[in-house]
Amino acid sequence: MMKQIAIGFAILMLIIAGTALIPVASPPDDEGTNGGIEIVGPYGVQSVSEITLGTVLPRSPGQAMVYKTVDTAVSKDDALKIAEKFGLTGPVEEKRVSHRITGDPYTFDLDRGGGYMTYTWYGRCSGVDPRDRPENLPTDEECRKIAESFLTSHDLMPEGAVFSSVSQGGKGIFSNHSGDAPIVTYEDRDVHFTDTLSGLRVAGSGTRVTIGGGGDILEITRRWRDAEPYKEFPILSPEEAIEELKQTGVVTTVSSPKGAVVEEVKLCYYATPPGTEQPYLKPTYYFRGTVEGENETGTFYQYVPAVPELGKGLY
């Protein structure tokens, strides 16, 4: 969703807070993925001379299921069936990459390749609607309840999906450079839900619900990979995964990192965006922690594939 903030006599900045799961993206809110919706970022992998453990390692299951991805193109009828859950009916417009159904005030788009859909109130996503001033925004807990209620009542909560987090969404700041504190003129919240397979969260697959003033839903974005069980494989232990982490390096914005402390380790699945080539969804260890550079301290994350038989690549 694009949130554009108009610029008047002073500077109005839009800050989009998102979570992402690709190892060149900012990490998610929960396990290094923004609840399932990923936004590619500019950060690459950097080697670290020393990595130490600052948490208790999870128990290893020894083996885990690998899933085979299934890419299925969708039709106009598929778009209509999903749109009906939102209360929208035809006609269906054929856009370059999506099937679109326009209502009032919402617009529904389903990617023609499958795996990605949006339900958007474009008139409220401009960042200038007075209804979306900060004082009109519900609390984070209220936003969570609104999102869960809508998805559940409209049969849009996938089986096994779990709540991930509530994060800062769009935010408009007015500054007149007079030295006074900036004024927040617009704000919303993103509620994230992550899909699961075999009881493990799927990084990169999930739903984001954006809540605005008065508890109104401004947008729902969902991204997923269809998959079916393939075969169980032996997996790395957490200790073995840490040794791999030392070889691969970490994703961080800190320049010239010298040392890192692992503060969180989770076993999950890792999904790339729909339309990209990914034969399997493989069990993967997610690492998060702090890193020390020459002149700064920051955070890092990384994903380490856990199935040696299928190679060291994430996909």
Side-chain angles (χ1 to χ4, degrees):
M1 174 176 74
M2 178 176 291
K3 296 182 167 105
Q4 297 178 331
I5 309 298
I7 299 179
F9 294 105
I11 299 173
L12 195 57
M13 303 187 314
L14 176 65
I15 303 172
I16 302 293
T19 52
L21 323 172
I22 303 178
V24 286
S26 54
D29 297 289
D30 192 9
E31 60 234 344
T33 84
N34 65 348
I37 307 299
E38 303 172 15
I39 303 172
V40 175
Y43 314 124
V45 177
Q46 301 189 60
S47 61
V48 181
S49 57
E50 181 180 3
I51 297 179
T52 58
L53 184 63
T55 185
V56 177
L57 293 175
R59 297 178 62 180
S60 172
Q63 62 181 18
M65 178 63 70
V66 170
Y67 288 81
K68 190 173 184 178
T69 59
V70 180
D71 292 324
T72 306
V74 296
S75 65
K76 288 184 178 181
D77 289 340
D78 294 322
L80 281 169
K81 288 178 182 178
I82 299 176
E84 285 175 357
K85 295 183 178 183
F86 290 101
L88 298 176
T89 57
V92 179
E93 301 176 65
E94 292 296 314
K95 297 298 182 180
R96 186 171 62 88
V97 297
S98 71
H99 301 293
R100 172 172 293 181
I101 298 172
T102 303
D104 184 14
Y106 294 97
T107 298
F108 173 78
D109 281 284
L110 177 64
D111 193 282
R112 296 169 76 168
Y116 185 75
M117 70 178 189
T118 60
Y119 172 74
T120 308
W121 186 346
Y122 284 108
R124 288 284 291 278
C125 295
S126 61
V128 295
D129 195 301
R131 287 173 288 186
D132 297 317
R133 294 183 61 84
E135 60 267 26
N136 299 327
L137 189 65
T139 66
D140 286 1
E141 182 59 28
E142 289 170 337
C143 287
R144 173 182 176 175
K145 291 179 179 179
I146 291 168
E148 287 181 337
S149 176
F150 185 91
L151 294 177
T152 301
S153 63
H154 289 75
D155 191 27
L156 292 164
M157 184 75 81
E159 182 179 356
V162 295
F163 169 74
S164 176
S165 64
V166 179
S167 68
Q168 175 73 62
K171 186 175 183 179
I173 300 175
F174 179 87
S175 174
N176 58 14
H177 299 286
S178 65
D180 296 333
I183 300 173
V184 178
T185 60
Y186 166 90
E187 194 168 11
D188 60 41
R189 290 288 184 273
D190 288 333
V191 185
H192 306 279
F193 300 89
T194 305
D195 296 337
T196 62
L197 288 173
S198 299
L200 300 177
R201 298 190 182 219
V202 184
S205 181
T207 305
R208 181 185 67 200
V209 182
T210 301
I211 306 294
D216 293 335
I217 291 177
L218 307 188
E219 184 176 60
I220 296 177
T221 302
R222 171 153 176 75
R223 206 191 81 178
W224 71 96
R225 293 297 298 250
D226 292 321
E228 57 188 18
Y230 172 58
K231 182 181 177 182
E232 285 196 337
F233 285 85
I235 66 170
L236 297 175
S237 67
E239 292 83 359
E240 292 171 322
I242 286 181
E243 292 305 312
E244 288 292 325
L245 177 67
K246 293 177 181 178
Q247 299 299 317
T248 60
V250 301
V251 181
T252 181
T253 61
V254 175
S255 59
S256 303
K258 301 301 181 183
V261 178
V262 175
E263 299 174 343
E264 182 180 13
V265 184
K266 289 185 179 181
L267 187 63
C268 65
Y269 289 92
Y270 181 91
T272 61
T276 58
E277 184 176 355
Q278 183 181 18
Y280 305 105
L281 295 181
K282 301 186 293 187
T284 300
Y285 283 101
Y286 164 70
F287 292 92
R288 181 186 62 81
T290 57
V291 61
E292 291 281 347
E294 291 184 349
N295 302 305
E296 58 182 329
T297 300
T299 61
F300 79 87
Y301 75 99
Q302 182 59 288
Y303 292 91
V304 174
V307 185
E309 288 185 47
L310 296 180
K312 293 189 176 182
L314 277 173
Y315 43 91

